[in-house]
Amino acid sequence: MYSPPTTPADEHRALTAQQEAITALGVTVEGRRMWGYQGRTLGQQAHHPGRGACWLRLISAPAEQAKGKLWEGTKDAATAFAGVRKPALYGIHDGSERDGTAYRAELTAFIDSPACASDPVLNGELELPETWWKSLRTDLETIAATPTERVAVRRQWIDRALPQYAGVPAPVEIDWATAHGDCHFANLTTSGPTLLDFEGFGLAPVGYDPALLYAYSLLAPRTAARIRAEFPILDTPAGQTALLVVAADLLQSASRGDHPELTEPLHALVASIAK
């Protein structure tokens, strides 16, 4: 989806780890390899003799970081959000460490529906039915109401990042709820919708998921307006706090070279809230 590993050696290690997982989980793979952000993940369609069509996703991290929130997210979400539309988890294989890098393979159900977008930043308008929006609202409400001790957005980061990247003071009081944590149209399928990639779920400011979906859609104004209409929480004080937090997050990413095309609309969003 995003980019392959930055070096041939990294790519070779990932493909070797994928092959180990293929053998361990008893699957075959076919079709296009889908690399995640900077090659940290690798996904490919798979076939299991008993399960049928599946999706094999390989994640990697420095060995000392192969634990905690991102590493356990898919497994934790499988039990935490039983009623939410997401791929069923069939199996996990922890691969051998290679040159200081750890690998985990996750075998899930194959979702035979394309993502709404190929990139988190939405560059074209979407026409989605009311049933699609109703399902998404229901699932995000279910996620928000699910207790968790995981943390998606740290209060300490908010206190530092809002002044630094958004140019506004951090709020004194913040309401918190569980969030998917990476809600954008590349993680939502056109039918259902099915919500993908739960690895980063945890506590975040109330309204964080619709705020992130909205911010990633600022280059598609009609779709952004639809998000605003479908999620009225964005026009409440809590939702506006979530929008500021999301804007600071994406502006921080833009300062590192990720999605710089969002910089101007994000600053305009901040100005519209802070006026």
Side-chain angles (χ1 to χ4, degrees):
M1 184 187 302
Y2 305 122
S3 57
T6 55
T7 70
D10 289 341
E11 183 172 355
H12 176 73
R13 281 195 298 270
L15 292 177
T16 301
Q18 184 198 45
Q19 186 57 53
E20 178 185 323
I22 288 169
T23 301
L25 293 169
V27 298
T28 57
V29 295
E30 61 184 9
R32 181 185 173 191
R33 294 176 182 139
M34 303 291 286
W35 294 99
Y37 180 71
Q38 295 182 350
R40 194 181 69 82
T41 65
L42 169 61
Q44 196 169 9
Q45 187 172 345
H47 179 83
H48 186 273
R51 299 287 190 178
C54 299
W55 186 256
L56 182 65
R57 181 173 182 261
L58 186 76
I59 61 175
S60 64
E64 66 275 9
Q65 297 176 21
K67 57 185 177 181
K69 185 184 76 171
L70 293 179
W71 201 252
E72 302 292 343
T74 300
K75 183 175 73 173
D76 291 348
T79 55
F81 307 117
V84 172
R85 286 179 183 260
K86 64 184 186 307
L89 178 63
Y90 294 147
I92 288 177
H93 172 70
D94 287 322
S96 304
E97 180 184 327
R98 303 177 187 278
D99 295 335
T101 302
Y103 293 91
R104 166 170 283 190
E106 301 163 344
L107 186 67
T108 61
F110 179 72
I111 305 302
D112 191 17
S113 174
C116 293
S118 61
D119 188 86
V121 178
L122 187 64
N123 287 295
E125 302 290 357
L126 295 174
E127 299 297 335
L128 298 165
E130 175 57 37
T131 53
W132 189 97
W133 291 104
K134 181 179 179 181
S135 178
L136 179 61
R137 288 196 307 269
T138 299
D139 280 351
L140 293 185
E141 288 168 2
T142 299
I143 292 169
T146 303
T148 186
E149 295 182 359
R150 291 166 53 97
V151 177
V153 182
R154 302 188 316 275
R155 174 72 209 222
Q156 296 91 330
W157 176 86
I158 292 174
D159 291 342
R160 181 178 70 254
L162 261 66
Q164 182 175 355
Y165 295 102
V168 296
V172 176
E173 299 291 337
I174 298 178
D175 296 325
W176 300 86
T178 303
H180 172 275
D182 199 17
C183 186
H184 52 67
F185 283 111
N187 276 340
L188 288 162
T189 64
T190 55
S191 63
T194 298
L195 193 51
L196 310 174
D197 291 354
F198 273 79
E199 64 179 4
F201 85 87
L203 292 172
V206 167
Y208 184 87
D209 282 336
L212 188 61
L213 187 66
Y214 177 79
Y216 270 129
S217 304
L218 289 172
L219 301 183
R222 284 196 292 110
T223 303
R226 181 67 186 267
I227 295 166
R228 202 88 184 221
E230 294 289 344
F231 295 96
I233 191 171
L234 296 178
D235 291 316
T236 68
Q240 297 213 327
T241 293
L243 286 168
L244 291 174
V245 170
V246 163
D249 188 10
L250 297 187
L251 286 168
Q252 181 182 33
S253 294
S255 73
R256 298 168 177 167
D258 295 328
H259 309 305
E261 68 274 22
L262 284 178
T263 300
E264 185 174 339
L266 286 170
H267 279 302
L269 174 62
V270 171
S272 71
I273 296 172
K275 66 181 180 181

